[in-house]
Amino acid sequence: MKLGAFSVSLAVKDIHKSKDFYEKLGFKYKGGNIDQNWIVLKNENAVIGLFQGMFEGNIITFNPGWDGNAQNLEEFDDVRAIQEQLRNAGIALTAEADTQSEGPAYITLTDPDGNNILIDQHR
């Protein structure tokens, strides 16, 4: 199963303060829109998303179809195929993708310790 690019999506209280903090740790802006309260930062292979007011708690995120620089991959496992594999493995999903759709979609699940996981396909 190819899950795609890995990042941690952080729910932040003040996106400007958080951006300044992570830039001091060597992270560089890679994308997003700070005026819409979300940005993506990268330091070598570490990718974090900062999100203000969009969700509660931090989320482990995977993006099928993207590499670590948000560049399209030629080959990837569609999120609906990943969904089927997870269901067949007995993993409960908290949100499912429409199996009749194509293109962008997402699924969510929670690990045994309560950590939320988002598998978010953008193309």
Side-chain angles (χ1 to χ4, degrees), residues 15-16 18-20 22-44 46-50 68-70:
I15 196 163
H16 295 281
S18 295
K19 178 180 178 285
D20 290 343
Y22 283 101
E23 286 177 339
K24 289 175 184 170
L25 292 179
F27 282 84
K28 304 282 186 217
Y29 175 86
K30 292 301 289 181
N33 186 330
I34 200 159
D35 293 329
Q36 294 177 356
N37 291 327
W38 72 279
I39 59 171
V40 177
L41 304 170
K42 186 170 183 183
N43 181 333
E44 295 190 30
V47 179
I48 58 172
L50 305 179
N69 291 310

